[in-house]
Amino acid sequence: MIKEHYGYIIMDAAYLAILPGFAIMLTVYAFNLLAIGLRDAFDVKSQNISV
């Protein structure tokens, strides 16, 4: 998506290249948050079980 609009970075319509980059960044961040949540949910070593 960014490569298709690379010429617009130099021209006046830079938002055509920035918006897809921002969408990719948000997608990567969402997967990162999901991975952290799953790691915390299934981490057996850090659970303190007092018997």
Side-chain angles (χ1 to χ4, degrees), residues 38-50:
L38 287 174
R39 183 193 63 196
D40 290 342
F42 292 114
D43 192 14
V44 179
K45 292 181 182 180
S46 69
Q47 293 178 354
N48 293 332
I49 301 173
S50 300

Side-chain angles (χ1 to χ4, degrees), residues 27-39:
T27 303
V28 170
Y29 185 66
F31 279 116
N32 191 14
L33 288 178
L34 180 67
I36 290 171
L38 287 174
R39 183 193 63 196

Side-chain angles (χ1 to χ4, degrees), residues 11-23:
M11 299 263 207
D12 294 329
Y15 67 92
L16 291 176
I18 292 172
L19 291 178
F22 191 66

